[in-house]
Amino acid sequence: MNREEATITCFCEDIAEEEIVQAIEEGYTTPKEIKQHLRAGMGECQGRGCMPQIMRLISQKTGKPQELILPPSVRPPIIPVPIGLLGKIVKRGDKEE
Amino acid sequence: MKTSAEVVIIGGGINGCTIAYNLSKENIDAVLLEKGSLANGATGRCGGMIWSNQSGVELSKVAISSGERFAELEQELGADLEYELANALTLALPGEEEDFRKAIDLQKSLDVSIEWLEPDEIRKIAPYIDVDNIPVAGGYHVFDHPANASMNPFYAVEALAANARRLGAEIRVYTEVIDIKVENGKIENVLTTQGEIKTHIVVNAAGGWSSDVAQMAGMKIPTMPYPHSAAALITEPLEPLPYFPESSEIWGRQTKSGQIIAGRADYIAPETAPPTKKPGYNTRASLDYILHVSEIMQRYIPRLSNVNILRHWGGFFDVTPDALPIFGEVDELEGLILACGCSAHGFCFSQAMGKFITDLIVRREKSKIMESFNLRRFKREYREFPGRWFGGH
């Protein structure tokens, strides 16, 4: 694959459309498997940019209707949040239970 | 799908995939069944950590032999698994010094390169750790030892599965086991959502679902999925820290890409857990968890305040009443082999366990240590897990 001409699908982890198509052809046919295999959607935007594209590609390559392709689990905090901001909310000794 | 196999493995996590790979290396015709995708349960939610400091000499030896196998895997499987030796720093909180010293003596007797550090020494090697504020009574440092390392669990499972396939195993994802048929005290076949497979040997490597799988064969085993501290979070990549401090409050490590993966270490055994913490498959993320881990990380390393958390996920351990794994044959049912109940150490023990199960199936060999983890121990007296994880693991 010529990197210069490649279409980048996942900007955060720098993964090209060609790599995703290849993965689908190798049998990684769910968004979750593609995520685990290529790290697509595991970067800063947590797949908000690339997952719809990946789901479309899976539908195109496998013939499965797009509405039957489920996105991977959404993991909080959705957008990156600094540790300092979250850590300030609980006090020491303030146990979860 | 094959309609018969010498061995059917249930569970596509690190244990199942390791067994599938090891068996196919010995030319055993194996089929692995996974109801979701590979690494769907605890493996895909774990920290990928390998630790020699386990409770007791037997378990430490299991971890060490497993670690030695892990060290060979990248070359053997021909894949980058992000294997890295740990440069571990585990902090003793006040009152934990004696336990730490005992553990260090045990590890030294097993030739692990480990040393006790005074708070001043910790300040020197890791000045970014807020030793006074935590506060820290000391700690230990393990270095350059194969059983103290880490690996990317997704890559490990994928490479093991790919190599098992190459050697002739059938790895089936999205194939759920519905029933296991037993006739005259012997396993006859396995019924799945995709058809039936004739087999006389079933390996139960279903982790959190292992008691459900055993139930299908009419066996009760004392494993259960237990949520709580099995969750974790991951940060954005940052410059390498020489050490990520762990303790009885927090576990974690920095990955090869620079991200910190961390979670709470104050695991509570089911029998001592408050009523709200019931066993179950709940892997939903919790706000409480993310807030508490952030508080601990910020208190231990104040300079992490500006680092972003990218995601947080839930998970569960496959626990047993004595927090020891269940390996090997079942006296009451010919053909059922257990490889489960690893109680938060499944990834770590997997390579030793894979070898043991393979030796058992192929050569009828049983190592003495592994036999001590047989299910039959629960018929005798066993020591109940006291309810707290030592040293953060």
Side-chain angles (χ1 to χ4, degrees):
Chain A
M1 181 184 63
N2 182 351
R3 203 84 214 169
E4 305 245 311
E5 289 170 20
T7 309
I8 302 299
T9 302
C10 171
F11 287 90
C12 306
E13 296 285 335
D14 193 29
I15 294 154
E17 183 170 308
E18 289 83 343
E19 289 172 274
I20 289 162
V21 169
Q22 195 193 336
I24 297 167
E25 282 164 358
E26 282 170 15
Y28 301 92
T29 52
T30 59
K32 191 179 168 199
E33 287 168 292
I34 290 186
K35 182 175 160 181
Q36 292 179 2
H37 177 58
L38 291 175
R39 295 192 59 80
M42 282 174 131
E44 199 155 311
C45 90
Q46 290 292 295
R48 271 171 300 147
C50 64
M51 252 335 136
Q53 302 291 334
I54 291 171
M55 288 155 72
R56 179 182 56 82
L57 288 169
I58 292 172
S59 173
Q60 276 175 7
K61 292 288 155 191
T62 63
K64 197 173 173 183
Q66 207 166 328
E67 57 271 25
L68 295 182
I69 297 167
L70 298 174
S73 307
V74 177
R75 310 271 190 218
I78 318 285
I79 55 162
V81 180
I83 287 172
L85 199 67
L86 293 166
K88 254 193 282 190
I89 299 172
V90 285
K91 287 191 191 74
R92 255 179 92 177
D94 177 15
K95 280 281 175 188
E96 195 179 303
E97 280 77 37
Chain B
M1 188 166 80
K2 282 181 189 166
T3 52
S4 73
E6 280 175 81
V7 180
V8 168
I9 301 152
I10 304 174
I14 188 71
N15 283 327
C17 291
T18 302
I19 297 166
Y21 170 65
N22 286 359
L23 285 176
S24 48
K25 258 202 325 195
E26 305 269 3
N27 294 317
I28 299 280
D29 172 32
V31 174
L32 183 147
L33 305 170
E34 163 58 53
K35 73 170 178 171
S37 57
L38 294 179
N40 189 45
T43 301
R45 300 164 187 281
C46 80
M49 289 152 94
I50 302 146
W51 285 100
S52 64
N53 182 14
Q54 302 288 342
S55 53
V57 62
E58 289 85 7
L59 223 47
S60 296
K61 281 184 178 166
V62 171
I64 290 171
S65 66
S66 200
E68 284 162 358
R69 275 293 293 151
F70 268 113
E72 303 164 348
L73 273 189
E74 282 191 329
Q75 208 182 2
E76 190 175 317
L77 303 178
D80 176 10
L81 309 178
E82 295 185 356
Y83 175 80
E84 269 189 314
L85 289 179
N87 202 358
L89 177 61
T90 304
L91 307 176
L93 304 182
E96 293 177 348
E97 301 95 313
E98 204 184 313
D99 284 348
F100 266 59
R101 293 203 190 261
K102 271 189 213 150
I104 291 170
D105 287 344
L106 171 65
Q107 294 297 308
K108 277 190 175 158
S109 75
L110 299 170
D111 288 328
V112 174
S113 36
I114 184 169
E115 60 182 15
W116 168 261
L117 297 173
E118 293 294 340
D120 267 346
E121 293 170 289
I122 295 169
R123 271 191 207 98
K124 214 178 285 169
I125 62 166
Y128 51 88
I129 297 174
D130 196 349
V131 170
D132 301 308
N133 190 34
I134 295 173
V136 172
Y140 69 74
H141 172 210
V142 192
F143 47 95
D144 291 339
H145 186 268
N148 290 275
S150 62
M151 191 176 268
N152 183 321
F154 292 131
Y155 295 172
V157 162
E158 201 178 295
L160 285 162
N163 277 274
R165 275 194 184 114
R166 180 176 58 79
L167 295 168
E170 185 171 350
I171 310 282
R172 289 200 66 97
V173 292
Y174 299 104
T175 306
E176 188 171 351
V177 174
I178 306 167
D179 200 12
I180 299 170
K181 289 217 177 95
V182 178
E183 270 165 46
N184 306 322
K186 233 177 121 184
I187 286 179
E188 288 296 330
N189 65 33
V190 176
L191 200 67
T192 80
T193 48
Q194 314 288 323
E196 213 174 281
I197 308 173
K198 266 202 160 331
T199 188
H200 294 304
I201 302 178
V202 167
V203 180
N204 181 355
W209 292 270
S210 55
S211 61
D212 297 353
V213 167
Q215 189 75 55
M216 290 176 196
M219 283 294 307
K220 264 196 169 26
I221 61 168
T223 57
M224 62 171 128
Y226 191 69
H228 200 70
S229 59
L233 56 81
I234 195 154
T235 68
E236 63 189 342
L238 58 151
E239 77 282 1
L241 294 169
Y243 306 93
F244 184 80
E246 296 189 287
S247 74
S248 53
E249 291 184 298
I250 190 168
W251 62 265
R253 69 178 173 100
Q254 193 167 21
T255 66
K256 239 180 180 170
S257 57
Q259 295 176 284
I260 290 174
I261 173 169
R264 284 180 70 169
D266 49 351
Y267 166 84
I268 301 166
E271 51 279 30
T272 57
T276 49
K277 299 287 178 192
K278 288 223 172 81
Y281 298 108
N282 184 356
T283 55
R284 269 189 314 196
S286 101
L287 180 63
D288 274 345
Y289 190 91
I290 201 169
L291 296 180
H292 278 89
V293 177
S294 301
E295 187 274 325
I296 299 167
M297 284 172 89
Q298 188 189 12
R299 176 153 51 87
Y300 279 39
I301 309 179
R303 75 147 95 138
L304 289 182
S305 305
N306 298 324
V307 174
N308 284 317
I309 290 173
L310 291 189
R311 66 180 167 277
H312 156 52
W313 60 91
F316 46 78
F317 298 139
D318 173 28
V319 302
T320 62
D322 57 1
L324 298 175
I326 304 178
F327 293 151
E329 293 169 302
V330 175
D331 295 338
E332 294 82 358
L333 179 55
E334 197 183 323
L336 181 65
I337 293 176
L338 302 176
C340 51
C342 289
S343 305
H345 302 278
F347 192 82
C348 179
F349 300 151
S350 61
Q351 300 311 304
M353 193 275 313
K355 183 181 183 309
F356 169 68
I357 301 291
T358 307
D359 285 346
L360 181 67
I361 292 174
V362 180
R363 287 174 279 276
R364 306 289 313 152
E365 272 173 25
K366 300 176 189 178
S367 89
K368 218 174 152 193
I369 287 185
M370 291 307 224
E371 272 296 285
S372 71
F373 299 119
N374 192 287
L375 178 69
R376 70 178 75 92
R377 71 178 183 270
F378 292 107
K379 280 187 242 156
R380 301 190 299 263
E381 250 181 46
Y382 60 90
R383 212 180 111 238
E384 270 200 21
F385 183 56
R388 252 192 109 76
W389 234 234
F390 166 66
H393 307 290

